[in-house]
């Protein structure tokens, strides 16, 4: 992971100490279950917890051992023996390395996802606050980057709120996908470890039991997990791109908060750049880049091969850490966003009323003109405005085919007309009539 | 889509006639709702249905019109007017093209997903049948491509069954993601079309209402959809790769059905190649390739841009059609798979009992030898077997540190020991004790 | 491929007739070489050419045969026998299907690349024409979407020209990568076909000899090929995005040509949307989506498996056809782009001279003020302009720390200053002093 | 990057000290050029070098400053002032941050690529050594995982050698793509910095001049760079997958070196797993995952946005470091690969001569039997062998339609026949007749 895009809470999920602590807990819970089944002495299990519960593991020592044995879990167990003493020989009976590694990964991904869900809640809170502030702030809706019709800034934000609600559901689903425990032995047959051990460890670690593990937990789960995170990243990108557009010099309807002492450019002191949202755009690309390798990890050979492991050593921490950072940054950007309603109004007025072309079109068809003739009449006058020849309303008034009175036309240019259903949409999104 | 990987049922979802029929229905249902609200004459709505319900639309005519107006929905509506007559002018009032296009796409993707779910059911049925046939057929479990411990062929298939159950859930979830209806007008404000129209059309077309559409249905939904299909494709690949491995000349534990008249190679008449599962491997890559563009489609500009459209014209039909084909092919391959239990047994015996090394290890530790010493003892004798020096059991008997009696060792080499929990796993997967 | 994004010249490369003609030529040239070596009768080779040279092959017949034999090349050869007669039995001696298929693909990809290079030439010509037209048209350079310093519209286009020159080189290199011929027999050992046959066919088909083929031409070549096309697609996207930005209502410095009869929106008759460049943005995503499956195709098993085939049936035609279409469309968009220098000037003036902040900064440091103090002085006055409090020049004049005379300041605000090296850059790009 | 997949030589390219040293050199060389042009005092340039040439920069101090100014290059320059003194104010005149950042990245990527090319040389050397050792070691060629015809193990390796020669060329080309220098000022117009400065710095840093930079070096270059690395990664995967296949228990024609003290499995002491090549398979996925974000980085907005930066902070070090590690590991695996010719022979004999089916087919057609009848005759007897009914040669002798004498048949079963062109292929690849 990239240090500058890393929160310490997210990094903590992935540090060596956390990992070894989880590994120990899995082994020790398994020992408890085996002791209960009479497979190992209860006293051994007790001593293991006593000596290991609050142990500080030594990652460097474990690395040293691994350099000799070329096997990470054996290196860990050897170190556990150094700390816990001879009772450690009762650990890991009938288990395989993947039982520990995969279940540890499940715990880490679950915890990381809990952070991500908290983060999305912050984004949602910021969006909701700003959406209600600007529920009726008029702004132009743009399709294809071109002025279309009026909308409100609150509606824009409500749309993103709804999208992040879906993001939250996707994260919950993603956690559900990967939060499983496998303690099933060498090729998943429970030959040397009873299914009860798995059930016990699963419950203690807050996981479900994996129905069929073949030494490993099947990697379709992880592919689905990283795919879900990638979709969340794209939702971040959509909001980031929106803000970048709004901050463009010619638009300037909103702006990232610019702190005291901040410098926009080493060369041009006048600059105020949307660097946070540009950064989020890049982070979204990084997070998404985990999808393809995660999909390629699914088709492991037979009961397992270990090709997935190096991939996950990279993408599991990197993707969750960067997404955590991005969501926090996004929440902050939205929360402190400088919003300029007067510029929104100025932009809305820029085309001299062209944004009302559809209403004129509909009014003409309702007067009995064919759709095609109505369209042609409105387009003909609109194009004159684009060419800078004058004012839309004047042209319409002067056009003989446009059989609408002055009063009728004026009413068609009323902005409020567009906002009559804002309450309906807000109720759909925020679940309340406000 | 590639014709040879296209079933006609799947292609039918995407042909022009189907598309125009759905578009007409959306417009006509909207007209009904508008008539009910008094926005357009009820008689108009009635005539529209009467003339249009069973109309055969002329895609070439629509293409011709589009070449002039450069707009697909306007071209369609113009053609509808040709068929339905002047009442067609009451269609599409206050609606925007995306209302029709996006809702049509939602209907098409929903229908395509229904096919995919049916296909997965076929895969599941085939896997279940073969899993029960071979519930207790011994075969070697392999990790890293190397013999590990015994398992059963039924267990292998049960693992894939569980994965395809997840695939089915993912498809159901994917359908839920994209099955929404938007009839909200130019920038999604319902300025010129009432929310009731949307609700009515949604219900008639079997869709949910999109909470906030900004002219378009937000594309995070479609990204999630294609991501789900990609995960399913990877699950296909995993099973296809398994079969390819099993059919290798040196392994030959299973084989794709080889039809009369089939030729394996133009040059080598003796060949019987796993070409169907190799083909599935390739199709999985193709289906997965939709994920990245679908993710890139999310961040549309402001209320919408149309960059997503060309992408979806490609990936929506191609991905669903190829996945449908792949699932059907997979179901057929599994259903007719030639399975060779005697070869499985032969392979299982190949290492002269090395697959029992873990049991010996555990027995030694239970005799009080340290884990490290036990491991060294077993490994030392196993390596002699790898070097072709003789038989594992003999070496163990001869090793002084291996304090196990002949009888004890023999029992440790019992195959049945590994299958005692097959019932437990089958019950987890198939939900029954059999 | 998607019909609406398909030029017939590009489609022709991939139609069945072309493919069978190339396959026949490869087989017939090989027959010539074998006849020369005395392996088959010269008369047979003569008859094969006589009967086959202008034959019209029947794809449906070949499909019918393939349905029985389940092998595409055997089906083709059987059909050739139907047309050519008994001499056809001398064809394909010692060859394997991949010799024909892979070499045919090499020819098709080569021809497709020739089209792409022609297309890039059109893009280059359009860019060059417009670059020289607007060599000195002032426009604002934007970093982060924010006004930075003045540049010229010609310079913008020169940058894209240089990028498309690189695109052309990448396509030439990509063609070099895949233009190889393999006629090496079953596993590439030339056991039953002499290397001379390969050399002869290669020369006749305009290809290089593949140094080592293992039945197939190695797929790292194709991966490199599709990767090159993906980079070209991204260059298209960059220019498309630039134009979309320039056409935004608030910017309107350039606009796609809008044809007579064209409709921008079914609902809003005033719209003029950059739909061509949005479409190009989407097509770029489609073309890029071939990279991942092409990379996944590289690691075929042992001497070959056929998983690459279904992938290539999709991506080879689709990617080249869509890229061809996109490049042509881009050339046309650039060639006919409506460019509005007066709007560029208006936008340039929008910030009241802030774009000159760097020159003021440099002048202050040259007067002996520290860089930090100079930066602070300029930024402080610039921020007042952003806040809408007044004019940059006035503020600078009034600032005591800004020890620059009126004349000095005025000179610092001279636009021409920025264009003094345009000739230098143009000479680098277009290779001439103009 | 992942520490366990990091060589310190590769990490050194990317550490903070290296980066700041390169940044200083770029700034100081630029100062020299400016001094030569009379823009700044020569004495200042001299002092800058004197104080800065061997300076040890303080990354933490720079981070602290950045936390205030929110700008990385300004933070660096502030720190330079702390070390170099007041002359530092003459640095960076007329330059923009990207001039330094992008040129620094070009230097780092160039150096990283030099390492990669060295690594490929090691792979090539190992492949060549082993290829010549086993130039004539018979082994079965496999298509579709099924025995096809005989080849030699040397030929297999020669194919990979040729592929890594292409990898080397691709890396050289990739370096050429990104080794450019931009010192062109705020939006690339050289308004405040002369083109001569750029030319001077480029030469001193071993780079070419970027023809048109728009503040940034265009990102199509970097996309092409990471795409090239991805293709190299796939070539690694192909060889890794080959070795994994060869090490499968049933095949066992080659094996990764297994070190003293190494443990294959925590549970199963008998295991010897191809974990290095499985790891390489995973690393290939990781390296490839940089392609998509690199392609997405190309379409920056206008003269630049900074979305590429966070992506490159991840992929530039990670991808080059992991690829460096993977290539070294691969060279080592190949160099020490345990190769078992006797097992190759055993596997070759497994099908009782079926691998000679093509020769029999050709012989029959040369005897005048039609291709179809010949094929049917050979296939019919081959299928009996597959069914385990007996020996291929016996069946052929007994088949009336097979009009080949015993002597003829025996000759057709001669292995040496397949190796007659090995020299030809080796000469193509290794450029010598041996």
């Amino acid at each position: 992971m990239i240090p500058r895009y890393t929160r310490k809470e997210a990094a903590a999920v992935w540090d060596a100490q956390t990992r070894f602590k989880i590994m120990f807990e899995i082994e020790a819970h398994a020992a408890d279950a085996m002791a209960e089944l009479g497979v190992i002495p209860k006293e051994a299990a007790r001593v293991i917890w006593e000596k290991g519960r609050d142990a500080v593991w030594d990652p460097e020592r474990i690395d040293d051992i691994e350099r000799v044995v070329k096997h990470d879990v054996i290196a860990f167990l050897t170190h556990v023996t150094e700390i816990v003493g001879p009772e450690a020989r009762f650990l890991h009976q009938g288990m395989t390395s993947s039982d520990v590694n995969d279940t540890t990964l499940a715990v880490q991904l679950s915890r990381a996802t809990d952070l991500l869900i908290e983060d999305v809640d912050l984004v949602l809170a910021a969006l909701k606050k700003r959406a209600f502030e600007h529920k009726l702030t008029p702004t132009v809706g743009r399709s294809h980057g071109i002025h279309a019709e009026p909308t409100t800034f609150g509606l824009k934000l409500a749309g993103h709120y709804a999208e992040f609600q879906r993001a939250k559901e996707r994260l919950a689903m993603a956690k559900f996908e990967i939060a499983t425990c496998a303690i099933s032995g060498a090729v998943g047959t429970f030959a040397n470890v009873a299914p009860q051990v798995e059930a016990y460890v699963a419950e203690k670690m807050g996981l479900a039991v994996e129905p069929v593990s073949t030494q490993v937990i099947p990697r379709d789960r992880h592919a689905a997990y990283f795919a879900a995170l990638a979709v969340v990243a794209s939702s971040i990108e959509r909001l980031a791109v929106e803000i970048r557009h709004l901050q463009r010099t010619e638009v300037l309807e909103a702006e990232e908060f610019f702190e005291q002492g901040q410098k926009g450019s080493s060369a041009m002191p006048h600059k105020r750049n949307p660097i946070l949202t540009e950064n989020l755009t890049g982070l979204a690309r990084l997070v998404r880049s985990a999808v393809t390798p995660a999909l390629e990890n699914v088709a492991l050979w037979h009961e397992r091969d270990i090709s997935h492991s190096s991939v996950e050593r990279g993408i599991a921490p990197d993707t969750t850490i960067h997404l955590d950072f991005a969501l926090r940054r996004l929440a902050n950007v939205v929360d402190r966003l400088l919003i300029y309603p007067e510029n929104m109004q100025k932009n809305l007025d820029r085309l001299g009323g062209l944004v009302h072309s559809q209403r004129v079109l509909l009014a003409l068809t309702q007067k009995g003109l064919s759709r095609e003739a109505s369209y042609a009449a409105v387009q003909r006058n609109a194009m004159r405005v684009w060419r800078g020849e004058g004012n839309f309303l004047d042209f319409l008034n002067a056009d003989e085919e446009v059989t609408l009175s002055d009063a009728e036309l004026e009413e068609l240019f009323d902005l409020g007309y567009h906002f009559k259903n804002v309450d309906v949409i807000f109720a759909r999104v925020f679940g309340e009539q406000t």
Side-chain angles (χ1 to χ4, degrees), chain A:
Chain A
M1 77 283 179
I2 306 167
R4 68 174 57 209
Y5 310 131
T6 300
R7 279 205 317 140
K8 68 177 187 306
E9 293 82 352
V13 173
W14 298 103
D15 70 20
Q17 199 55 229
T18 305
R19 175 169 161 74
F20 292 130
K21 188 172 170 51
I22 298 171
M23 289 172 75
F24 172 78
E25 287 173 6
I26 291 167
E27 296 276 8
H29 284 308
D32 277 348
M34 290 181 205
E36 194 62 39
L37 292 169
V39 178
I40 67 168
K42 287 201 177 176
E43 177 59 13
R46 197 193 57 74
V47 171
I48 287 165
W49 274 111
E50 184 183 291
K51 301 260 183 74
R53 180 176 281 112
D54 301 315
V56 177
W57 312 101
D58 181 349
E60 286 184 28
R61 173 73 187 130
I62 295 172
D63 281 354
D64 286 347
I65 303 171
E66 187 181 346
R67 227 160 282 131
V68 178
V69 297
K70 313 250 166 195
H71 196 294
D72 55 355
V73 173
I74 293 175
F76 168 71
L77 289 171
T78 306
H79 181 57
V80 171
T81 305
E82 293 172 342
I83 303 276
V84 164
E87 282 80 3
R89 75 180 183 282
F90 293 107
L91 286 174
H92 201 66
Q93 298 265 358
M95 291 168 59
T96 193
S97 308
S98 294
D99 289 335
V100 193
N101 280 335
D102 277 15
T103 303
T104 299
L105 181 61
V107 172
Q108 287 176 301
L109 287 175
S110 296
R111 290 185 192 170
T113 316
D114 289 339
L115 287 181
L116 296 174
I117 290 173
E118 279 175 31
D119 298 338
V120 169
D121 278 335
L122 295 177
V123 174
L124 287 170
L127 282 167
K128 184 173 184 179
K129 184 182 86 172
R130 308 311 299 268
F132 275 89
E133 275 173 34
H134 293 280
K135 186 175 167 187
L136 291 172
T137 303
T139 195
V140 70
R142 295 168 178 96
S143 54
H144 314 277
I146 307 299
H147 285 194
E149 297 210 332
T151 185
T152 77
F153 196 67
L155 273 189
K156 269 182 188 276
L157 297 180
H160 288 282
Y161 184 93
E163 186 164 337
F164 277 97
Q165 279 184 314
R166 292 192 291 275
K168 189 175 170 181
E169 285 159 25
R170 286 177 192 129
L171 288 171
M173 198 70 198
K175 182 182 169 186
F176 176 80
E177 284 271 16
I178 47 77
T180 70
C181 170
I183 311 276
S184 60
V187 294
T189 53
F190 299 101
N192 296 306
V193 62
Q196 293 90 321
V197 176
E198 186 183 61
Y200 182 83
V201 176
E203 201 221 312
K204 287 292 176 187
M205 301 305 292
L207 303 170
V209 162
E210 180 63 47
V212 194
S213 46
T214 58
Q215 185 166 117
V216 289
I217 293 177
R219 256 49 194 182
D220 60 304
R221 293 187 178 281
H222 303 77
Y225 180 84
F226 290 105
L229 267 57
V231 178
V232 176
S234 285
S235 293
I236 292 174
E237 187 188 22
R238 187 167 86 87
L239 182 44
V241 166
E242 176 72 25
I243 293 170
R244 289 169 61 192
H245 275 305
L246 296 177
Q247 186 162 347
R248 287 181 56 98
T249 302
E250 289 86 358
V251 177
L252 203 54
E253 300 185 350
E255 221 180 358
E256 291 179 11
F257 191 83
F258 197 76
E259 302 203 45
Q260 281 295 91
Q262 188 171 343
K263 295 188 177 183
S265 154
S266 67
M268 298 166 284
H270 72 276
K271 296 286 301 263
R272 296 173 63 145
N273 300 324
I275 52 168
L276 299 177
T277 45
E278 290 182 343
N279 172 258
L280 290 173
T281 307
L283 289 175
R285 291 177 195 142
L286 267 189
V287 171
R288 285 200 300 253
S289 72
V291 174
T292 295
L295 288 165
E296 291 172 346
N297 269 355
V298 173
L300 300 177
W301 289 12
H302 295 305
E303 276 59 43
R304 78 84 51 92
D305 68 64
I306 204 166
S307 61
H308 62 91
S309 170
S310 50
V311 172
E312 291 163 0
R313 281 183 201 272
I315 66 174
D318 286 9
T319 304
T320 54
I321 286 171
H322 295 155
L323 184 55
D324 166 75
F325 180 88
L327 286 165
R328 291 270 165 164
R329 171 161 279 184
L330 180 64
N332 195 42
V333 165
V334 171
D335 194 55
R336 303 173 77 189
L337 190 70
L338 305 172
I339 298 173
Y340 304 126
E342 62 286 6
N343 288 355
M344 291 181 188
Q345 187 63 50
K346 217 181 298 171
N347 286 334
L348 199 45
D349 294 341
R350 185 183 296 250
L351 289 189
L354 276 197
V355 292
H356 302 295
S357 72
Q358 181 183 202
R359 294 201 65 197
V360 180
L361 169 69
L362 293 173
L364 287 174
T365 57
Q366 276 152 19
K367 288 256 168 180
L369 205 59
S370 80
R371 189 170 170 82
E372 286 66 31
S374 304
Y375 195 100
V378 177
Q379 190 185 37
R380 155 174 89 231
N381 289 292
M383 290 303 126
R384 297 185 63 188
V385 180
W386 277 114
R387 287 194 299 269
E389 297 175 13
N391 182 290
F392 191 42
L393 197 54
D394 295 344
F395 292 145
L396 291 173
N397 271 320
D399 189 314
E400 299 225 330
E401 208 175 358
V402 178
T403 56
L404 294 160
S405 70
D406 285 15
E408 283 172 326
L409 276 170
E410 191 162 323
E411 202 212 292
L412 295 174
F413 277 59
D414 171 37
L415 207 56
Y417 175 83
H418 295 272
F419 304 155
K420 60 181 173 288
N421 285 309
V422 170
D423 275 343
V424 173
I425 302 173
F426 264 56
R428 286 177 175 185
V429 175
F430 301 106
E432 50 199 298
Q433 303 291 345
T434 44

